[in-house]
Short mmCIF file of all heavy atoms in Angstrom, two decimals:
data_model
loop_
_atom_site.label_atom_id
_atom_site.label_comp_id
_atom_site.label_asym_id
_atom_site.label_seq_id
_atom_site.Cartn_x
_atom_site.Cartn_y
_atom_site.Cartn_z
N GLY A 1 106.50 121.65 97.44
CA GLY A 1 107.49 121.42 96.40
C GLY A 1 106.84 121.18 95.06
O GLY A 1 105.98 121.93 94.63
N SER A 2 107.24 120.09 94.40
CA SER A 2 106.71 119.80 93.06
C SER A 2 105.48 118.91 93.17
O SER A 2 105.51 117.72 92.88
CB SER A 2 107.78 119.12 92.21
OG SER A 2 108.24 117.95 92.86
N THR A 3 104.38 119.49 93.61
CA THR A 3 103.13 118.73 93.68
C THR A 3 102.41 118.83 92.33
O THR A 3 102.53 119.82 91.61
CB THR A 3 102.21 119.27 94.77
OG1 THR A 3 101.99 120.66 94.55
CG2 THR A 3 102.81 119.08 96.15
N HIS A 4 101.66 117.80 92.03
CA HIS A 4 100.89 117.78 90.80
C HIS A 4 99.53 118.44 91.01
O HIS A 4 99.07 119.22 90.19
CB HIS A 4 100.73 116.35 90.29
CG HIS A 4 102.03 115.69 89.96
ND1 HIS A 4 102.88 116.18 89.00
CD2 HIS A 4 102.63 114.60 90.47
CE1 HIS A 4 103.96 115.40 88.93
NE2 HIS A 4 103.83 114.43 89.81
N ALA A 5 98.89 118.08 92.09
CA ALA A 5 97.56 118.62 92.38
C ALA A 5 97.24 118.34 93.83
O ALA A 5 97.92 117.56 94.50
CB ALA A 5 96.50 117.98 91.47
N MET A 6 96.22 119.00 94.30
CA MET A 6 95.72 118.75 95.65
C MET A 6 94.24 119.00 95.65
O MET A 6 93.72 119.66 94.71
CB MET A 6 96.44 119.62 96.67
CG MET A 6 96.40 121.10 96.37
SD MET A 6 97.52 122.05 97.45
CE MET A 6 99.13 121.46 96.93
N GLY A 7 93.56 118.48 96.64
CA GLY A 7 92.13 118.69 96.63
C GLY A 7 91.43 118.11 97.83
O GLY A 7 92.08 117.71 98.80
N TRP A 8 90.12 118.11 97.74
CA TRP A 8 89.26 117.63 98.82
C TRP A 8 88.20 116.69 98.26
O TRP A 8 87.61 116.95 97.21
CB TRP A 8 88.57 118.81 99.50
CG TRP A 8 89.49 119.72 100.24
CD1 TRP A 8 90.17 120.79 99.73
CD2 TRP A 8 89.82 119.66 101.63
NE1 TRP A 8 90.92 121.38 100.72
CE2 TRP A 8 90.72 120.71 101.89
CE3 TRP A 8 89.44 118.83 102.68
CZ2 TRP A 8 91.25 120.95 103.16
CZ3 TRP A 8 89.95 119.06 103.94
CH2 TRP A 8 90.85 120.10 104.18
N TYR A 9 87.97 115.62 98.99
CA TYR A 9 86.86 114.71 98.77
C TYR A 9 85.99 114.73 100.02
O TYR A 9 86.41 115.22 101.07
CB TYR A 9 87.36 113.27 98.55
CG TYR A 9 87.77 112.94 97.16
CD1 TYR A 9 88.96 113.42 96.62
CD2 TYR A 9 86.98 112.11 96.37
CE1 TYR A 9 89.34 113.09 95.33
CE2 TYR A 9 87.36 111.76 95.08
CZ TYR A 9 88.54 112.26 94.57
OH TYR A 9 88.91 111.92 93.30
N ARG A 10 84.82 114.17 99.90
CA ARG A 10 83.98 113.99 101.08
C ARG A 10 83.27 112.66 101.02
O ARG A 10 83.00 112.15 99.93
CB ARG A 10 82.98 115.13 101.24
CG ARG A 10 81.85 115.17 100.23
CD ARG A 10 81.00 116.42 100.43
NE ARG A 10 79.80 116.40 99.61
CZ ARG A 10 78.96 117.42 99.51
NH1 ARG A 10 79.20 118.56 100.18
NH2 ARG A 10 77.88 117.33 98.76
N GLY A 11 82.97 112.13 102.19
CA GLY A 11 82.28 110.86 102.27
C GLY A 11 81.22 110.89 103.36
O GLY A 11 81.47 111.39 104.46
N ALA A 12 80.05 110.41 103.02
CA ALA A 12 78.95 110.33 103.99
C ALA A 12 78.55 108.86 104.13
O ALA A 12 78.76 108.07 103.21
CB ALA A 12 77.76 111.16 103.51
N PRO A 13 78.00 108.49 105.28
CA PRO A 13 77.59 107.09 105.49
C PRO A 13 76.65 106.62 104.39
O PRO A 13 75.68 107.30 104.05
CB PRO A 13 76.89 107.14 106.85
CG PRO A 13 77.49 108.30 107.55
CD PRO A 13 77.76 109.31 106.47
N GLY A 14 76.96 105.45 103.83
CA GLY A 14 76.11 104.88 102.80
C GLY A 14 76.30 105.48 101.43
O GLY A 14 75.59 105.12 100.49
N LYS A 15 77.23 106.40 101.29
CA LYS A 15 77.46 107.03 99.99
C LYS A 15 78.92 106.88 99.60
O LYS A 15 79.81 106.79 100.45
CB LYS A 15 77.10 108.52 100.06
CG LYS A 15 75.63 108.80 100.32
CD LYS A 15 75.37 110.30 100.40
CE LYS A 15 75.58 111.00 99.08
NZ LYS A 15 75.23 112.43 99.13
N GLN A 16 79.14 106.88 98.29
CA GLN A 16 80.51 106.82 97.79
C GLN A 16 81.22 108.13 98.08
O GLN A 16 80.61 109.20 98.08
CB GLN A 16 80.51 106.59 96.27
CG GLN A 16 80.71 105.15 95.86
CD GLN A 16 80.97 105.02 94.37
OE1 GLN A 16 80.39 105.74 93.57
NE2 GLN A 16 81.84 104.11 94.01
N ARG A 17 82.55 108.03 98.29
CA ARG A 17 83.33 109.24 98.46
C ARG A 17 83.27 110.02 97.15
O ARG A 17 83.42 109.46 96.06
CB ARG A 17 84.77 108.88 98.82
CG ARG A 17 85.60 110.07 99.27
CD ARG A 17 87.00 109.66 99.67
NE ARG A 17 87.04 108.86 100.90
CZ ARG A 17 88.16 108.60 101.56
NH1 ARG A 17 89.32 109.04 101.12
NH2 ARG A 17 88.12 107.87 102.66
N GLU A 18 83.07 111.34 97.25
CA GLU A 18 82.92 112.16 96.05
C GLU A 18 83.90 113.33 96.07
O GLU A 18 84.21 113.88 97.12
CB GLU A 18 81.48 112.67 95.92
CG GLU A 18 80.94 113.40 97.13
CD GLU A 18 79.45 113.68 97.05
OE1 GLU A 18 78.78 113.27 96.07
OE2 GLU A 18 78.94 114.32 97.99
N LEU A 19 84.34 113.68 94.87
CA LEU A 19 85.26 114.79 94.72
C LEU A 19 84.54 116.10 94.97
O LEU A 19 83.43 116.32 94.46
CB LEU A 19 85.85 114.78 93.30
CG LEU A 19 86.81 115.92 92.97
CD1 LEU A 19 88.06 115.82 93.81
CD2 LEU A 19 87.13 115.90 91.49
N VAL A 20 85.18 116.97 95.73
CA VAL A 20 84.61 118.28 96.04
C VAL A 20 85.33 119.38 95.25
O VAL A 20 84.69 120.19 94.58
CB VAL A 20 84.69 118.58 97.54
CG1 VAL A 20 84.20 119.99 97.85
CG2 VAL A 20 83.91 117.55 98.34
N ALA A 21 86.66 119.40 95.32
CA ALA A 21 87.41 120.48 94.69
C ALA A 21 88.83 120.02 94.40
O ALA A 21 89.39 119.21 95.14
CB ALA A 21 87.44 121.72 95.59
N ILE A 22 89.38 120.56 93.32
CA ILE A 22 90.76 120.27 92.91
C ILE A 22 91.48 121.58 92.65
O ILE A 22 90.90 122.52 92.09
CB ILE A 22 90.80 119.42 91.63
CG1 ILE A 22 90.19 118.05 91.84
CG2 ILE A 22 92.22 119.26 91.13
CD1 ILE A 22 90.12 117.23 90.57
N LEU A 23 92.75 121.60 93.03
CA LEU A 23 93.64 122.73 92.71
C LEU A 23 94.86 122.15 92.02
O LEU A 23 95.59 121.36 92.62
CB LEU A 23 94.03 123.46 93.99
CG LEU A 23 95.02 124.61 93.88
CD1 LEU A 23 94.49 125.71 92.97
CD2 LEU A 23 95.33 125.18 95.26
N SER A 24 95.05 122.52 90.77
CA SER A 24 96.16 121.96 90.01
C SER A 24 97.46 122.65 90.36
O SER A 24 97.47 123.72 90.99
CB SER A 24 95.90 122.08 88.51
OG SER A 24 96.09 123.43 88.10
N SER A 25 98.56 122.08 89.91
CA SER A 25 99.87 122.67 90.17
C SER A 25 99.98 124.04 89.51
O SER A 25 100.72 124.90 89.99
CB SER A 25 100.97 121.76 89.65
OG SER A 25 100.82 121.51 88.27
N GLY A 26 99.23 124.24 88.45
CA GLY A 26 99.26 125.52 87.76
C GLY A 26 98.32 126.56 88.33
O GLY A 26 98.26 127.69 87.84
N GLY A 27 97.57 126.15 89.35
CA GLY A 27 96.66 127.10 90.00
C GLY A 27 95.23 127.04 89.50
O GLY A 27 94.38 127.80 89.98
N ASP A 28 94.97 126.15 88.55
CA ASP A 28 93.59 126.01 88.07
C ASP A 28 92.76 125.27 89.11
O ASP A 28 93.25 124.38 89.80
CB ASP A 28 93.55 125.23 86.76
CG ASP A 28 94.25 125.97 85.64
OD1 ASP A 28 94.15 127.21 85.59
OD2 ASP A 28 94.91 125.31 84.81
N THR A 29 91.50 125.65 89.20
CA THR A 29 90.59 125.01 90.15
C THR A 29 89.41 124.38 89.42
O THR A 29 89.03 124.82 88.33
CB THR A 29 90.07 126.01 91.19
OG1 THR A 29 89.39 127.07 90.50
CG2 THR A 29 91.19 126.60 92.02
N ASP A 30 88.86 123.37 90.05
CA ASP A 30 87.66 122.74 89.52
C ASP A 30 86.83 122.28 90.70
O ASP A 30 87.38 121.86 91.72
CB ASP A 30 88.01 121.55 88.62
CG ASP A 30 86.84 121.14 87.74
OD1 ASP A 30 85.86 121.91 87.65
OD2 ASP A 30 86.89 120.04 87.16
N TYR A 31 85.53 122.37 90.55
CA TYR A 31 84.63 122.07 91.65
C TYR A 31 83.50 121.15 91.20
O TYR A 31 83.05 121.21 90.04
CB TYR A 31 84.00 123.36 92.20
CG TYR A 31 85.01 124.34 92.76
CD1 TYR A 31 85.57 125.33 91.95
CD2 TYR A 31 85.40 124.26 94.09
CE1 TYR A 31 86.49 126.22 92.47
CE2 TYR A 31 86.32 125.15 94.61
CZ TYR A 31 86.87 126.13 93.80
OH TYR A 31 87.80 127.00 94.31
N ALA A 32 83.03 120.35 92.13
CA ALA A 32 81.82 119.58 91.87
C ALA A 32 80.66 120.54 91.72
O ALA A 32 80.62 121.59 92.37
CB ALA A 32 81.56 118.61 93.01
N GLY A 33 79.71 120.17 90.90
CA GLY A 33 78.58 121.04 90.65
C GLY A 33 77.82 121.40 91.90
O GLY A 33 77.29 122.52 92.04
N PHE A 34 77.78 120.49 92.86
CA PHE A 34 76.98 120.73 94.05
C PHE A 34 77.62 121.72 95.03
O PHE A 34 76.98 122.11 96.00
CB PHE A 34 76.62 119.41 94.76
CG PHE A 34 77.80 118.52 95.04
CD1 PHE A 34 78.66 118.80 96.08
CD2 PHE A 34 78.04 117.41 94.25
CE1 PHE A 34 79.75 117.97 96.35
CE2 PHE A 34 79.12 116.57 94.49
CZ PHE A 34 79.98 116.86 95.54
N VAL A 35 78.86 122.12 94.78
CA VAL A 35 79.49 123.12 95.65
C VAL A 35 79.92 124.36 94.90
O VAL A 35 80.37 125.33 95.51
CB VAL A 35 80.72 122.54 96.41
CG1 VAL A 35 80.32 121.35 97.23
CG2 VAL A 35 81.86 122.24 95.47
#
């Protein structure tokens, strides 16, 4: 329906959860540099 955005994070033991990828409602994407 009317979502604003969606995406993926990842978390490893001993590390902070980090953003991996975002998909905006308009279809724009953004990625972490490491992926």
